[in-house]
């Protein structure tokens, strides 16, 4: 069986799969409402919010697109620094929205001052930020950027925390984030198929004023149903059973321990890179702690390394995404990984490289 260390989907525990195989229940009834309610405190704590968590039966992109449709009344500023953040700009264009962007080189982070300068041009009512740009391993300065956006009244902030949610603390309410979203197949270690998101009151007010926000991804519908611990349409109930199990797992470990474990596991991979002279693609100070993106050394047979790692040891890592495919490789440490499982991966990588 393959061991998945790509940055999503990741390894799912047998206990999670067991939780997911509980008998099906109807979604319009007390049992489902109890299930829905049971995941709220854990999700809210991870997001640093008192706002309800909404459960969307879609991958993260469903909510990323929805955020544009629900919240962009004038013009959106997308902060682009890699595959996911760049694509958000494309999606805004596909929706026919007025959109502008800040584009930095892949591997660089977004500077809060650049956001300020751009917003000073005026006309924007929405900013999209990918907190942890999974394609490059760059973690952006969420607090710094949020502070800038909040200093512009009427500009809402949407944050993709898809690959940082539950790996690092996030303070949605304190930072004034208007929409925070995550996919469950990243650090929450569930199979793909669902996204979790939160909306500020201001975000819901804005959504109400948007005429063409559709039905399936209408944030106002999510808010209305959440009041009754429910979802607008039939949700992925099995995934919510899995989520319930993960929330219990997260609570049992404790958030501080969970964050420390992710940082420690990530440091092990960074140390492996140092030992082999493989440099981080992301700059010091903006490196993700849920995955590592390495720049391929000039003389390194990256494709052979990845192929042999899988063939000999069953480990799957990623050979780069989008336009840096083949030039970088990425290793996830999200989810349930331990020092022991990370060490086993490191031993396998060393074996493939022919070092003891
Ligand atoms: C994985 C990922 C996405 C896309 O998620 P889907 O579940 O494929 O829609 C978006 N943003 C980031 C930062 C991601 O890592």
């Amino acid at each position: 069986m393959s061991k998945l260390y790509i940055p999503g989907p990741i390894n799912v525990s047998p206990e999670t799969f067991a939780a997911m195989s509980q008998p099906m229940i109807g979604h319009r009834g007390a049992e489902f409402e109890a299930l829905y309610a049971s995941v709220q405190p854990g999700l809210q704590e991870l997001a640093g919010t008192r706002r309800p968590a909404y459960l969307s039966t879609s991958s993260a992109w469903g909510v990323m697109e929805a955020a544009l449709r629900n919240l962009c009344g004038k013009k959106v500023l997308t902060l682009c620094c890699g595959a996911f953040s760049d694509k958000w700009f494309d999606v805004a264009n596909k929706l026919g929205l007025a959109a502008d962007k800040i584009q930095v080189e892949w591997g660089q982070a977004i500077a809060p001052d650049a956001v300020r300068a751009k917003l000073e041009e005026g006309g924007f009512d929405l900013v999209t930020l990918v907190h942890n740009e999974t394609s490059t391993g760059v973690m952006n300065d969420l607090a710094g950027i949020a502070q800038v956006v909040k200093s512009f009244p009427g500009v809402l902030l949407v944050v993709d925390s898809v690959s940082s949610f539950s790996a690092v603390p996030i303070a949605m309410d304190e930072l004034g984030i208007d929409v925070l979203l995550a996919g469950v197949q990243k650090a929450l270690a569930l199979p793909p198929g669902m996204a979790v998101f939160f909306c500020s009151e201001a975000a819901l007010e804005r959504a109400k004023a948007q005429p063409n926000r559709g039905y399936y991804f209408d944030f106002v519908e999510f808010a209305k149903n959440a009041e009754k611990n429910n979802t607008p349409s039939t949700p992925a109930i099995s995934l919510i059973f899995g989520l319930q199990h993960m929330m219990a797992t997260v609570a049992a470990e404790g958030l501080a321990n969970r964050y420390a474990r992710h940082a420690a596991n990530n440091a092990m991979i960074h140390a492996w890179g140092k030992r082999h002279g493989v440099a981080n693609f992301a700059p010091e100070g903006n490196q993700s702690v849920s995955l590592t993106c390495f720049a391929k050394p000039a003389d390194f047979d990256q494709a052979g390394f990845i192929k042999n790692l899988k063939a000999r040891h069953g480990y799957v890592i990623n050979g780069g995404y989008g336009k840096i495919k083949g030039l970088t490789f990425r290793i996830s440490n999200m989810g349930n990984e331990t020092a022991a499982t990370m060490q086993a991966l490191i031993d396998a990588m060393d074996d493939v490289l022919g070092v003891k």
Side-chain angles (χ1 to χ4, degrees):
M1 202 173 66
S2 294
K3 291 163 280 213
L4 268 190
Y5 289 81
I6 59 172
I10 59 164
N11 295 313
V12 177
S13 75
E15 292 78 13
T16 298
F17 279 128
M20 288 180 63
S21 61
Q22 292 174 69
M24 197 40 51
I25 57 174
H27 66 296
R28 301 294 184 215
E31 256 180 311
F32 179 79
E33 288 162 18
L35 172 64
Y36 186 99
S38 75
V39 300
Q40 293 292 321
L43 291 172
Q44 287 170 313
E45 201 183 354
L46 288 169
T49 188
R50 302 164 79 102
R51 303 289 306 159
Y54 306 136
L55 306 178
S56 171
T57 300
S58 67
S59 80
W61 270 112
V63 179
M64 291 167 78
E65 178 171 331
L68 297 170
R69 291 185 76 181
N70 278 266
L71 303 183
C72 184
K74 294 179 188 158
K75 183 156 84 162
V76 59
L77 172 63
T78 59
L79 307 178
C80 301
C81 61
F84 295 103
S85 46
D86 285 17
K87 192 167 174 181
W88 225 343
F89 179 71
D90 296 341
V91 173
N93 285 319
K94 282 178 203 247
L95 289 172
L97 299 172
D100 200 351
K101 63 176 173 174
I102 292 175
Q103 179 77 62
V104 300
E105 291 265 327
W106 284 27
Q108 297 305 306
I110 302 290
D113 283 346
V115 179
R116 185 188 308 283
K118 193 76 191 174
L119 288 177
E120 274 169 357
E121 291 176 10
F124 297 101
D125 63 354
L126 186 64
V127 173
T128 65
L129 170 69
V130 172
H131 179 208
N132 194 58
E133 179 44 87
T134 317
S135 62
T136 62
V138 165
M139 186 170 280
N140 282 301
D141 176 5
L142 175 55
I145 293 167
Q147 199 181 16
V148 167
V149 176
K150 286 301 102 182
S151 70
F152 289 84
V155 181
L156 300 182
L157 175 62
V158 182
V159 176
D160 163 334
S161 66
V162 175
S163 62
S164 57
F165 191 77
S166 89
V168 296
I170 295 181
M172 174 174 168
D173 290 354
E174 195 187 312
L175 298 180
I177 296 168
D178 291 292
V179 173
L180 181 75
L181 67 104
V184 298
Q185 81 277 22
K186 303 284 167 90
L188 286 172
L190 291 167
M194 192 165 74
V196 171
F197 70 107
F198 306 84
C199 294
S200 69
E201 304 236 22
L204 291 177
E205 282 312 306
R206 174 76 62 79
K208 281 179 195 155
Q210 301 313 309
N212 294 315
R213 57 185 196 272
Y215 166 69
Y216 191 73
F217 288 116
D218 179 0
F219 288 176
V220 181
E221 285 287 338
F222 276 95
K224 217 166 64 188
N225 281 275
E227 282 173 20
K228 298 172 285 170
N229 284 312
N230 224 309
T231 52
S233 51
T234 316
I237 295 170
S238 303
L239 278 168
I240 306 176
F241 278 132
L243 181 62
Q244 183 182 48
H245 168 76
M246 278 310 298
M247 288 302 99
T249 307
V250 169
E253 180 177 21
L255 265 61
N257 291 337
R258 182 177 178 82
Y259 300 143
R261 178 170 56 79
H262 276 84
N265 289 346
N266 184 254
M268 289 175 74
I269 298 297
H270 284 212
W272 174 86
K274 270 214 178 79
R275 205 144 48 76
H276 293 289
V278 184
N280 244 285
F281 190 66
E284 198 88 44
N286 285 101
Q287 291 168 352
S288 165
V289 296
S290 59
L291 73 128
T292 308
C293 184
F294 286 119
K296 182 187 93 68
D299 56 351
F300 181 53
D301 174 16
Q302 176 174 305
F305 173 65
I306 292 172
K307 189 164 155 253
N308 289 329
L309 187 62
K310 170 142 197 235
R312 291 197 216 153
H313 297 279
Y315 284 101
V316 183
I317 63 170
N318 173 273
Y321 191 96
K323 68 183 181 195
I324 52 174
K325 189 175 166 135
L327 302 174
T328 54
F329 62 103
R330 301 180 301 161
I331 301 170
S332 164
N333 60 273
M334 291 180 237
N336 302 315
E337 302 307 324
T338 64
T341 62
M342 296 310 293
Q343 188 58 50
L345 166 63
I346 287 168
D347 290 345
M349 292 196 295
D350 282 347
D351 179 59
V352 171
L353 292 178
V355 292
K356 287 281 168 290

